Amino acid sequence: MSDYIVRATAAGHQVRIFAASTKELVETARQAHNTSPVATAALGRLLTAGAMMGSMQKGEKDTLTLQIQCSGPIGGLTVTADGKANVKGYVKNPEVMLPPNAYGKLDVGGALALGVLSVIKDMGLKEPYVGQTQLVSGEIAEDLTYYFATSEQVNSSVALGVLMEKDNTVKQAGGFIIQLLPFADELVISKLEENLNGLPSVTTMLEAGEIPETILEKLTAGMDLEILDRVPTRFYCDCCKEKVEKVIISIGKDEIQSMIDDHEPVEVNCHFCNKHYMFDVDELKALLQRSR
Ligand SMILES: [Zn+2]
């Protein structure tokens, strides 16, 4: 198995935990969008969180979208995951470059700056659930921790990391989400805090050869870890020419006619995976027939 998520509980179901390795999916996203290192780090963190949060959903067709609208040079990010941990996403300005931050790390917080995080859960009901919080640091993991606490009233600890190779490909990526259930007792909470405080960063652990299972063992040392299952996760976009056709049809007759009048094929790119779809003039004429 390449990328995967381990779902687990500890301390007699007082704690639930997700840990993921996501190097391949983040590298796939990087190649699809040709992201700069800081954009790869930001998108990779959000994709990793999205994959884990997607797998928290009950139905396999339920979708979860993490959207960040921000004032920083990255311009914004969107990630969507389904219940099977298929995840896709993009950043608005993939070419953003920034000097390293005060710790010598990729400055994800600087790339995002101020903004709003929206969590949209579509469970097939009439209206999707939407939770929104302000960004607290723009580093994404802290922003999600804050979101869980304020919007879902769940005390959590979120860690996400992406480490780049010198050639700007992805060297390591992964993360974890720990959530305390409402009845968790003080001893469990303090033990967890103790474990968390002694823990190196996710990428440091992955670099040292740790895998999601061993990271979970460290997180829950002395707390009776129980691994529930392992779920494969991947960067996957479900776009296809038919869906793009529907989008073109929906823009209306006038727009399509003006494309036809240009006598040039039209290229439409999928936001999520950057796949190109070409429509020649004859195809556009056929779409015009189908449009209202
Ligand atoms: Zn796509």
Side-chain angles (χ1 to χ4, degrees):
M1 209 186 294
S2 46
D3 289 343
Y4 63 101
I5 299 165
V6 179
R7 300 191 281 199
T9 64
H13 296 272
Q14 294 182 65
V15 181
R16 68 169 186 166
I17 323 160
F18 303 79
S21 61
T22 55
K23 175 186 163 179
E24 283 182 32
L25 80 82
V26 177
E27 173 62 17
T28 306
R30 185 197 69 78
Q31 289 177 15
H33 296 294
N34 197 20
T35 41
S36 70
V38 71
T40 306
L43 181 59
R45 289 181 197 177
L46 200 64
L47 285 167
T48 302
M52 289 189 281
M53 290 172 72
S55 80
M56 289 178 188
Q57 301 180 106
K58 300 250 162 25
E60 287 188 349
K61 284 186 178 162
D62 294 356
T63 62
L64 174 125
T65 298
L66 299 173
Q67 195 168 53
I68 293 174
Q69 290 162 298
C70 58
S71 62
I74 202 164
L77 303 89
T78 302
V79 159
T80 295
D82 66 17
K84 289 167 87 176
N86 292 311
V87 64
K88 58 184 179 179
Y90 62 94
V91 304
K92 206 165 175 193
N93 299 318
E95 72 289 351
V96 59
M97 295 280 202
L98 285 175
N101 66 17
Y103 308 100
K105 299 266 162 73
L106 289 168
D107 192 4
V108 172
L112 272 67
L114 301 174
V116 175
L117 166 72
S118 302
V119 178
I120 303 145
K121 296 180 187 175
D122 190 342
M123 292 160 283
L125 306 171
K126 224 175 193 176
E127 295 286 328
Y129 159 91
V130 183
Q132 266 188 345
T133 47
Q134 298 285 324
L135 296 181
V136 286
S137 69
E139 295 287 339
I140 299 176
E142 287 161 277
D143 304 307
L144 282 163
T145 300
Y146 181 72
Y147 160 78
F148 281 123
T150 56
S151 202
E152 297 196 10
Q153 285 79 47
V154 181
N155 282 323
S156 308
S157 176
V158 182
L160 304 165
V162 175
L163 184 69
M164 305 302 292
E165 292 274 15
K166 284 204 171 66
D167 66 1
N168 291 339
T169 58
V170 178
K171 192 176 190 188
Q172 300 290 354
F176 62 78
I177 299 175
I178 308 173
Q179 299 198 314
L180 285 170
L181 296 179
F183 52 87
D185 67 44
E186 284 302 321
L187 273 173
V188 169
I189 296 168
S190 59
K191 180 68 190 155
L192 199 55
E193 278 171 358
E194 188 190 316
N195 290 350
L196 278 167
N197 285 337
L199 216 63
S201 75
V202 173
T203 48
T204 303
M205 288 192 282
L206 292 170
E207 269 291 88
E210 304 280 0
I211 56 174
E213 288 86 343
T214 57
I215 292 172
L216 286 176
E217 282 165 16
K218 286 186 156 53
L219 281 168
T220 60
M223 298 175 64
D224 290 328
L225 172 67
E226 188 189 333
I227 289 182
L228 300 174
D229 60 7
R230 291 171 181 80
V231 188
T233 180
R234 60 177 176 159
F235 186 92
Y236 172 75
C237 185
D238 55 355
C239 66
C240 60
K241 193 153 181 176
E242 260 182 358
K243 286 189 181 179
V244 181
E245 282 175 359
K246 282 183 185 152
V247 174
I248 295 177
I249 289 168
S250 73
I251 63 175
K253 272 196 187 307
D254 291 352
E255 281 290 323
I256 301 172
Q257 187 61 56
S258 86
M259 290 186 216
I260 293 167
D261 294 343
D262 289 340
H263 302 291
E264 295 281 343
V266 170
E267 184 184 294
V268 180
N269 294 348
C270 172
H271 278 308
F272 281 100
C273 68
N274 214 17
K275 201 171 162 190
H276 309 306
Y277 292 93
M278 294 299 294
F279 292 88
D280 61 29
V281 175
D282 286 340
E283 286 174 300
L284 290 171
K285 283 178 180 166
L287 294 179
L288 181 68
Q289 297 294 319
R290 289 164 58 192
S291 126
R292 275 187 279 178

